[in-house]
Amino acid sequence: MADLPLIEADPEIAQCIADEEKRQHDKLRLIPSENYASRAVMEACGSVLNNKYSEGYAGRRYYEGQQNIDTVERLAIERLKSLFGVDHANVQPYSGSPANLAIYLAFCNAGDTIMGMGLPSGGHLTHGWKVSISGKYFNAIQYGVHRDDHLIDFDQVASLAREHKPKLIFCGATAYPRVIDFPKFAEIAKEVGAILVADIAHIAGLVAGGAHPSPVGHAPVISSTTHKTFRGPRGGMLLCDDAHKKAIDRAVFPGLQGGPHNGTTAGIAIAAKLASTNEFKAYAHAIVDNCRVLAETLLSRGLDLVTGGTDNHLILIDLTRKEVPGKVAAQALDRAGIVANYNSVPFDTRKPFDPSGVRLGTAAITSRGMGSDEMKRLGNWMADVIEDVENEAAMSRIAGEVKDLCDQFPAPGIPVH
Ligand SMILES: *Cc1c(COP(=O)(O)O)cnc(C)c1O
């Protein structure tokens, strides 16, 4: 039984995977946290590395048989150090959320004061939002954006930091379409004696490719996922300077986790190697160029965008002035073959489960090699759908056109159907 191919061992799951391959091929995937992992990364994740237990760190493991795993983990670490220009990398966090939890464990005690951007402004749950452990076990102070231009309110960040003296300040976001000003955050953190943490989960690929300023030299601790714009496996990483290295490593293991996922570690090593190429630099810049063209097209069709546009891979459409809520728009777009997600906008007048915004990004479609012509077509399709969310005939016509476009741009790592 253990030696049967998937199609025989479990035809039901095999079918789900085949259907998902087809969906990922046939649709324009705009969820900004998603991408197509490179083929080599996918191979590593499905390899025998899955079978090995490796608690500890290279050269200091609690299990024998690490001849190959130590090499894999050292390669991942060395490549990330040189790619980002940092003193140290930990590649063991299971994903972005556990990476952030490890940071709390490394530098805080329960009840300590921490600061992060509020979820309604575009911050992540793990930056102190009340329903998350980060908001429950810590005294979490949340900053936000200006009401008028939706840019981060640095006067508020500074005054809250002076008043509450947090141990940690998180910067970085999950739904913020503009550049994060790391030097400005660093100045505030320094003034109040807080450790600045830059969470670059969304933008790690842009930072690696030089399409977003790097937090290195401003934030001594950096956390990230490895599967968003970085285009690696589902995973997490922590980058830091020498001064914070010991605390970070101890927090990840034995503080928070057991054995690392070695296939993922290999995937991170591969992603780091690929991200150091000129081709990846061009990819990172193309993500941003595409996003700007898409934003301009949407604006020209009369849609409002949070902050009025974008500097990165992400756009947040604000439908407050339109008749249609975000969820209805996202569902209509999905029927037209365009997959985005509904999202709150800053100062949203609607509830989080039925908000006013649609969030989208260009990382995955840029991985397929699409460019500005395709972005213009896409923007017009989206506007057509949003203007007429009950027109099922138009949606199925657009879904057909989307499929034809997708056939011209095969997705990395997916066999053509
Ligand atoms: C996606 C994200 C995370 C969490 O990553 P998971 O892998 O989903 O746990 C953390 N921080 C930010 C800013 C993110 O966007």
Side-chain angles (χ1 to χ4, degrees):
M1 243 187 35
D3 208 26
L4 288 178
L6 173 59
I7 187 79
E8 288 168 36
D10 192 337
E12 268 176 294
I13 290 293
Q15 190 59 49
C16 292
I17 294 173
D19 291 348
E20 178 64 9
E21 280 178 349
K22 185 165 162 48
R23 190 193 70 83
Q24 292 192 16
H25 171 82
D26 287 353
K27 301 216 172 179
L28 289 168
R29 297 174 55 235
L30 299 184
I31 293 173
S33 47
E34 293 183 2
N35 207 334
Y36 295 97
S38 313
R39 181 173 164 175
V41 165
M42 299 291 272
E43 284 178 23
C45 290
S47 73
V48 293
L49 298 180
N50 178 69
N51 299 337
K52 185 74 194 104
Y53 241 99
S54 312
E55 285 184 1
Y57 291 103
R60 296 174 282 139
R61 305 280 189 188
Y62 290 81
Y63 297 79
E64 296 314 311
Q66 309 296 344
Q67 293 83 352
N68 308 305
I69 301 301
D70 277 3
T71 309
V72 167
E73 191 167 321
R74 284 193 176 112
L75 277 170
I77 291 168
E78 289 309 314
R79 287 173 183 174
L80 288 176
K81 281 165 64 177
S82 88
L83 179 65
F84 288 98
V86 288
D87 295 339
H88 181 63
N90 185 309
V91 293
Q92 295 194 3
Y94 297 141
S95 210
S97 305
N100 286 345
L101 199 51
I103 292 172
Y104 290 112
L105 183 61
F107 305 115
C108 297
N109 293 307
D112 281 352
T113 299
I114 61 104
M115 247 176 86
M117 182 144 88
L119 191 77
S121 292
H124 194 260
L125 282 165
T126 56
H127 297 183
W129 189 241
K130 54 198 173 218
V131 299
S132 136
I133 186 170
S134 63
K136 289 188 167 168
Y137 284 25
F138 302 99
N139 174 34
I141 308 298
Q142 304 268 272
Y143 58 85
V145 297
H146 287 291
R147 197 175 267 276
D148 53 351
D149 58 12
H150 297 156
L151 299 177
I152 292 169
D153 183 348
F154 278 102
D155 294 332
Q156 184 195 36
V157 177
S159 66
L160 288 174
R162 285 180 197 127
E163 183 186 342
H164 297 282
K165 300 265 183 299
K167 270 204 175 159
L168 291 179
I169 299 177
F170 267 85
C171 64
T174 199
Y176 187 71
R178 296 294 180 177
V179 164
I180 304 290
D181 190 340
F182 298 120
K184 228 177 206 171
F185 274 108
E187 205 182 302
I188 294 167
K190 189 170 174 210
E191 186 195 319
V192 302
I195 299 172
L196 180 64
V197 180
D199 180 346
I200 60 168
H202 264 261
I203 57 171
L206 304 184
V207 171
H212 186 290
S214 171
V216 176
H218 306 293
V221 178
I222 298 165
S223 82
S224 186
T225 61
T226 51
H227 49 270
K228 299 182 183 175
T229 55
F230 198 58
R231 211 159 67 182
R234 203 78 191 203
M237 59 184 171
L238 290 165
L239 313 174
C240 65
D241 60 11
D242 277 328
H244 297 85
K245 165 180 169 168
K246 247 196 168 146
I248 287 285
D249 280 355
R250 266 205 301 253
V252 174
F253 177 85
L256 192 63
Q257 299 186 167
H261 295 178
N262 297 314
T264 300
T265 307
I268 294 172
I270 295 163
K273 180 181 162 112
L274 298 179
S276 68
T277 59
N278 285 331
E279 200 185 326
F280 192 88
K281 283 193 185 77
Y283 166 64
H285 285 91
I287 294 175
V288 176
D289 292 344
N290 279 342
C291 208
R292 288 216 174 99
V293 174
L294 184 55
E296 279 158 22
T297 311
L298 295 169
L299 287 168
S300 77
R301 291 289 304 268
L303 288 162
D304 293 333
L305 306 183
V306 170
T307 77
T310 181
D311 297 326
N312 59 20
H313 65 301
L314 182 145
I315 293 169
L316 203 50
I317 303 176
D318 183 349
L319 296 167
T320 307
R321 282 194 316 125
K322 303 271 170 192
E323 297 296 293
V324 45
K327 197 192 257 185
V328 173
Q331 287 168 349
L333 287 165
D334 189 45
R335 292 204 291 287
I338 297 166
V339 191
N341 67 273
Y342 59 86
N343 211 95
S344 293
V345 296
F347 307 100
D348 207 321
T349 49
R350 304 176 67 94
K351 295 260 159 3
F353 203 62
D354 183 23
S356 304
V358 174
R359 188 182 73 141
L360 48 129
T362 49
I365 52 177
T366 306
S367 287
R368 304 180 77 145
M370 293 184 185
S372 60
D373 289 347
E374 290 74 39
M375 296 308 115
K376 288 174 197 160
R377 289 187 77 189
L378 169 59
N380 282 305
W381 282 328
M382 292 185 72
D384 289 346
V385 171
I386 291 169
E387 277 168 15
D388 200 0
V389 286
E390 275 157 29
N391 189 341
E392 296 296 333
M395 283 179 245
S396 50
R397 175 184 50 78
I398 292 171
E401 290 172 6
V402 164
K403 165 86 167 70
D404 289 344
L405 180 68
C406 288
D407 286 342
Q408 295 167 43
F409 293 91
I414 299 188
V416 181
H417 289 273

